[in-house]
Amino acid sequence: MLTLTVQSIASWSRFERASMLDVLSADYVRTARAKGVPRRKVIFKHAFRNALIPLLTVMALDTAFLFGGLIITETIFSISGMGSYFLESLAHGDAPALVGWTMVTATFIIGFNLLADVMYSVLDPRIRLS
């Protein structure tokens, strides 16, 4: 899990950097700077919160895949987890186990996407839950 998390954190940081560079060149950030808002407040209040929104989507999907099990990584490191369970079930033709694995993984993906959608309203006040 640590190996998978470190890899995910590296890609998340690159994604957040690109998103932050995009947001810092937006009109509302330049307007806030022109009004004399302190740089720290512009970055954390205006830019960072808006740059987190796309990252939140990527994090939700990656976290769901971590819980669902990454088949190749578990095979390489000989870790018994959801990925190795999937491969064993596939090798033995155990259809009910494969359906169960698919349902668990799909439930994680749907659950984390729902959590990301709820978190959007926290990060962006323009988004309302109804």
Side-chain angles (χ1 to χ4, degrees):
M1 191 70 151
L2 182 65
T3 303
L4 299 175
T5 306
V6 167
Q7 184 267 335
S8 294
I9 289 173
S11 65
W12 294 343
S13 66
R14 296 287 298 167
F15 192 83
E16 179 61 21
R17 180 185 181 277
S19 182
M20 190 70 170
L21 289 174
D22 185 44
V23 169
L24 284 174
S25 64
D27 290 338
Y28 61 90
V29 173
R30 277 186 274 153
T31 303
R33 284 186 183 162
K35 285 182 176 180
V37 178
R39 180 174 170 81
R40 183 180 202 94
K41 189 171 183 180
V42 168
I43 289 175
F44 287 107
K45 177 99 172 154
H46 298 284
F48 188 65
R49 285 180 65 179
N50 287 321
L52 278 178
I53 293 173
L55 178 67
L56 189 62
T57 304
V58 173
M59 288 175 71
L61 286 174
D62 285 350
T63 305
F65 289 133
L66 283 176
F67 281 107
L70 297 173
I71 297 167
I72 296 171
T73 307
E74 288 181 7
T75 303
I76 290 172
F77 290 108
S78 298
I79 300 170
S80 60
M82 292 284 287
S84 61
Y85 179 70
F86 173 80
L87 287 177
E88 289 174 16
S89 300
L90 189 63
H92 298 304
D94 190 5
L98 292 173
V99 170
W101 183 88
T102 304
M103 291 298 293
V104 167
T105 304
T107 302
F108 276 121
I109 291 171
I110 291 169
F112 278 101
N113 275 328
L114 179 65
L115 181 66
D117 287 342
V118 170
M119 290 300 295
Y120 288 157
S121 66
V122 173
L123 292 174
D124 192 355
R126 296 173 295 177
I127 299 173
R128 307 244 188 267
L129 295 175
S130 56

